[in-house]
Structure formats: C-alpha cells, structure tokens
C-alpha cells in the first residue's frame, strides 16, 4: 500500500502526464471536433440513431435471428450518411485519436506494473498487452 506521501507523488506525476497530453498539438483539433459535434444537433441525432440501429442489429444477430438484406442495406446507407457528414466524421476521428492515446498510456502503465520496471520496446513485441488484459494475444 502506498503512503500518503507516495500517493501524492503519484497524483502529481499523473497530473503532469495529463498536462502533457492536453498540450499535444493535435489536442486542439480533437477538442474542436468534439465540441462541433456536440453543438450540431442533427449530426448527434444521426449518429445516435445509427448507434441504436447497430445495437439493434447486433442483438438480433446475437439471438441468432436472421438479418434481412433490407435491414443491412438500410443500416449501410445510414452509416455512409454519417461517415460522409464532416462534423460526424471529425467526431469519429477525434474519438479514435483519444482511444489510441488512452490505449498507449494504459499499455505503458500495465506493462510497468506487470514487470516492476519501465518497459522496453521489445517488452511489447511479445504479443501480450499484459497478464489478464483480456485481449486475444497469446501470453
């Protein structure tokens, strides 16, 4: 267990990492794309409708119910409309960028805790994200 002093140091260093992430040059664009999307009611509505339809089709498929060509075609048409909307596309790109950053940070932290030292590049080339990571890599 960490002492209060150690906890404070970890928190301080975590905040430094957060400040570094926020200071990245592309972070302004990412934030702008998210804000633009959140302010655009039609783009949000179209995106939410697509996500709901995708979930509905996924659940239907999970229950081994057949999907009609009509359902799939309508979903694909709706998906293309969302992807061709620059505001929604910017939001999706921003989401992906944030996910990649989060995944990289998580991999570094997980590997550090797993190894008990700072990981080297070849520590990540072993095909594992870490013990119990839940991915499909071989451990």
């Amino acid at each position: 267990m960490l002492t209060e002093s150690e906890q404070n140091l970890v928190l301080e260093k975590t905040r430094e990492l957060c400040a570094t992430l926020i200071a990245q040059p592309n972070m302004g664009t990412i934030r702008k794309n998210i804000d633009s999307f959140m302010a655009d009611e039609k783009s949000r509505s179209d995106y939410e409708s697509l996500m709901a339809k995708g979930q509905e089709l996924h659940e239907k498929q999970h229950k081994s119910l057949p999907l009609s060509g009509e359902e799939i075609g309508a979903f694909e048409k709706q998906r293309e409309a969302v992807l061709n909307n620059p505001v929604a596309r910017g939001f999706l790109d921003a989401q992906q960028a944030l996910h990649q950053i989060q995944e990289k940070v998580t991999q570094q932290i997980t590997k550090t805790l797993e190894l008990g030292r700072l990981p080297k590049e070849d520590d990540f080339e072993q095909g594992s994200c870490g013990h119990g990571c839940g991915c499909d890599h071989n451990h």
Side-chain angles (χ1 to χ4, degrees):
M1 181 138 194
L2 297 177
T3 66
E4 186 175 336
S5 175
E6 291 168 329
Q7 288 177 11
N8 289 338
L9 181 60
V10 168
L11 180 59
E12 178 185 331
K13 294 300 181 182
T14 302
R15 293 180 63 75
E16 287 178 21
L17 171 61
C18 292
T20 299
L21 293 173
I22 293 296
Q24 296 304 301
N26 65 337
M27 202 54 73
T29 301
I30 290 170
R31 188 75 246 159
K32 181 179 143 280
N33 287 343
I34 291 170
D35 291 344
S36 294
F37 176 78
M38 296 308 288
D40 187 325
E41 192 172 318
K42 177 163 178 16
S43 293
R44 276 194 349 262
S45 175
D46 290 348
Y47 173 79
E48 289 167 4
S49 175
L50 176 66
M51 293 297 103
K53 186 63 173 175
Q55 183 63 34
E56 178 185 317
L57 294 178
H58 176 76
E59 288 174 13
K60 191 173 180 181
Q61 196 173 29
H62 186 69
K63 294 177 182 175
S64 299
L65 298 172
L67 300 179
S68 73
E70 244 178 45
E71 287 176 307
I72 295 169
F75 176 78
E76 287 299 323
K77 184 177 178 183
Q78 191 176 2
R79 181 178 168 274
E80 283 300 313
V82 168
L83 292 176
N84 288 328
N85 174 335
V87 175
R89 180 79 249 169
F91 173 73
L92 293 170
D93 291 345
Q95 270 190 321
Q96 182 177 5
L98 290 176
H99 177 75
Q100 287 172 342
I101 292 167
Q102 182 180 15
E103 195 168 281
K104 191 67 163 173
V105 169
T106 300
Q107 285 175 354
Q108 289 287 322
I109 292 169
T110 300
K111 192 58 89 168
T112 297
L113 295 173
E114 176 186 312
L115 298 172
R117 63 172 169 78
L118 290 176
K120 294 179 245 172
E121 196 61 40
D122 63 340
D123 290 325
F124 295 99
E125 295 172 5
Q126 297 172 3
S128 170
C129 297
H131 178 70
C133 70
C135 72
D136 293 329
H137 294 130
N138 295 323
H139 295 283

